[in-house]
């Protein structure tokens, strides 16, 4: 398995295609394994780089970390791009991956050419979404007492709905279950969406992210997620918004994303 050492951690990664760098940041719970088909499609439009984030699946840590912070994931993403001499990149992030993408654009703007945010988990931007996330945090922590490896399932059932979760293949259930220690570490850390101290970004913070951004939301997702995308669409300065069919697991290689990547690849403009 190809791995690269950054910030003291060996991260599993894959590269597909060539051209404009495209960085995929998986959500929580998750893995680059869920991007297999999307990475192939994206490779026809650029150099697609996907990886398992610190603590997850093939980048699991032994022993598992007690906490994981947003800034660690942001630093890892920046260091990975530097190690692979890939950047600035079109950064694609669903859910927690979208939160990390925003952090990357904020702290390492030179690494980011554009953002694709698939229902990013910036719950603090909306009061109702923030309340929902804090309730989910308590339910997940409660579940961890009796079923430590059921934590990932609780999160996914809330985001996808029971029927969508049950429809996932058994091997995906098993893989996600084994990411539960990393999910708990994020909840106990700082800055992540379900932590006790989640990232907060006001309108001025978001206005400083001066990169073209595509925001996708899904018709069948929980209402609170569309509250987030609506507020982000009004706060980020260079934004396009698209509503797609289906639920929260939006295809990172959706036609709207591929079109956006192509336009970004053809755009030499330097954003400041």
């Amino acid at each position: 398995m190809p791995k690269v050492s950054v910030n003291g951690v060996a991260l599993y990664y894959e590269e597909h295609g060539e051209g404009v760098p495209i960085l995929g940041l998986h959500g929580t719970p998750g893995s680059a394994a869920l991007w297999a088909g999307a990475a192939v499609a994206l490779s026809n439009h650029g150099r697609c780089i996907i990886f398992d984030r610190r603590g997850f699946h093939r980048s699991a840590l032994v022993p598992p970390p007690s906490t994981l912070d947003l800034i660690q994931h942001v630093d890892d993403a920046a260091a990975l791009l530097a190690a692979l001499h890939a950047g600035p990149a079109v950064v694609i992030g669903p859910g927690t991956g979208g939160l990390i993408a925003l952090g990357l654009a904020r702290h390492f703007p030179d690494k980011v050419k554009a953002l694709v945010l698939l229902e990013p988990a910036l719950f603090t931007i909306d009061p109702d979404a923030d309340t929902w996330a804090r309730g989910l945090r308590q339910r997940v922590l409660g579940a961890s007492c009796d079923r430590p490896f059921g934590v990932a399932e609780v999160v996914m059932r809330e985001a996808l709905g029971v029927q969508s979760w049950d429809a996932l293949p058994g091997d995906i259930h098993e893989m996600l279950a084994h990411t539960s220690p990393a999910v708990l570490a994020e909840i106990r850390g700082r800055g992540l969406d379900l932590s006790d101290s989640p990232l907060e970004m006001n309108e001025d913070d978001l206005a400083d992210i001066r990169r073209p951004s595509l925001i996708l939301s899904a018709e069948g997702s929980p209402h609170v997620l569309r509250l987030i995308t609506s507020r982000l669409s009004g706060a980020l300065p260079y934004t396009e918004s698209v509503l797609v069919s289906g639920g929260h697991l939006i295809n990172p290689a959706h036609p709207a994303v591929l079109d956006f990547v192509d336009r970004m690849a053809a755009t030499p403009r330097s954003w400041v």
Side-chain angles (χ1 to χ4, degrees), residues 47-60:
R47 178 189 176 191
C48 182
I49 300 166
I50 56 176
F51 70 105
D52 285 344
R53 292 194 278 109
R54 172 188 296 250
F56 287 83
H57 197 30
R58 294 157 295 191
S59 298

Side-chain angles (χ1 to χ4, degrees), residues 57-71:
H57 197 30
R58 294 157 295 191
S59 298
L61 303 174
V62 180
S66 58
T67 62
L68 283 172
D69 297 338
L70 172 64
I71 195 60

Side-chain angles (χ1 to χ4, degrees), residues 3-173:
K3 291 193 174 184
V4 62
S5 293
V6 301
N7 301 325
V9 176
L11 298 178
Y12 171 88
Y13 76 98
E14 299 176 13
E15 291 190 70
H16 303 265
E18 56 186 33
V20 63
I22 304 167
L23 179 66
L25 295 167
H26 69 76
T28 299
S31 160
L34 299 178
W35 285 64
V40 172
L42 286 162
S43 71
N44 294 318
H45 301 262
R47 178 189 176 191
C48 182
I49 300 166
I50 56 176
F51 70 105
D52 285 344
R53 292 194 278 109
R54 172 188 296 250
F56 287 83
H57 197 30
R58 294 157 295 191
S59 298
L61 303 174
V62 180
S66 58
T67 62
L68 283 172
D69 297 338
L70 172 64
I71 195 60
Q72 291 177 286
H73 290 311
V74 169
D75 286 346
D76 286 350
L80 178 66
L81 288 173
L84 299 180
H85 306 288
V90 178
V91 182
I92 305 176
T96 303
L99 188 67
I100 297 167
L102 286 167
L104 185 65
R106 185 182 186 186
H107 293 284
F108 297 95
D110 59 312
K111 303 292 186 186
V112 178
K113 183 178 183 68
L115 294 170
V116 178
L117 307 172
L118 315 179
E119 297 186 332
L122 185 63
F123 294 112
T124 54
I125 199 172
D126 181 88
D128 290 339
D130 187 43
T131 298
W132 181 85
R134 292 186 180 278
L136 175 56
R137 179 179 190 274
Q138 294 305 314
R139 291 192 292 277
V140 172
L141 289 175
S144 70
C145 298
D146 300 322
R147 297 176 58 219
F149 280 88
V151 165
E153 179 180 342
V154 173
V155 175
M156 293 297 278
R157 282 180 178 271
E158 291 280 352
L160 302 180
V162 174
Q163 291 184 337
S164 295
W165 163 260
D166 290 342
L168 292 175
D171 59 335
I172 298 297
H173 283 183

Side-chain angles (χ1 to χ4, degrees), residues 158-233:
E158 291 280 352
L160 302 180
V162 174
Q163 291 184 337
S164 295
W165 163 260
D166 290 342
L168 292 175
D171 59 335
I172 298 297
H173 283 183
E174 183 176 357
M175 182 273 289
L176 292 175
H178 281 87
T179 68
S180 290
V183 177
L184 277 175
E186 289 190 347
I187 290 174
R188 293 168 178 155
R190 296 183 60 83
L192 277 303
D193 42 292
L194 296 183
S195 84
D196 193 41
S197 301
L199 174 69
E200 295 188 15
M201 298 182 74
N202 58 35
E203 291 186 356
D204 289 340
D205 295 328
L206 292 165
D208 284 341
I209 299 179
R210 304 180 66 80
R211 294 294 183 271
S213 302
L214 174 67
I215 301 176
L216 272 68
S217 54
E219 294 174 343
S221 288
H223 176 61
V224 293
L225 299 183
R226 291 196 298 281
L227 294 177
I228 296 168
T229 56
S230 176
R231 287 184 178 270
L232 278 174
S233 295

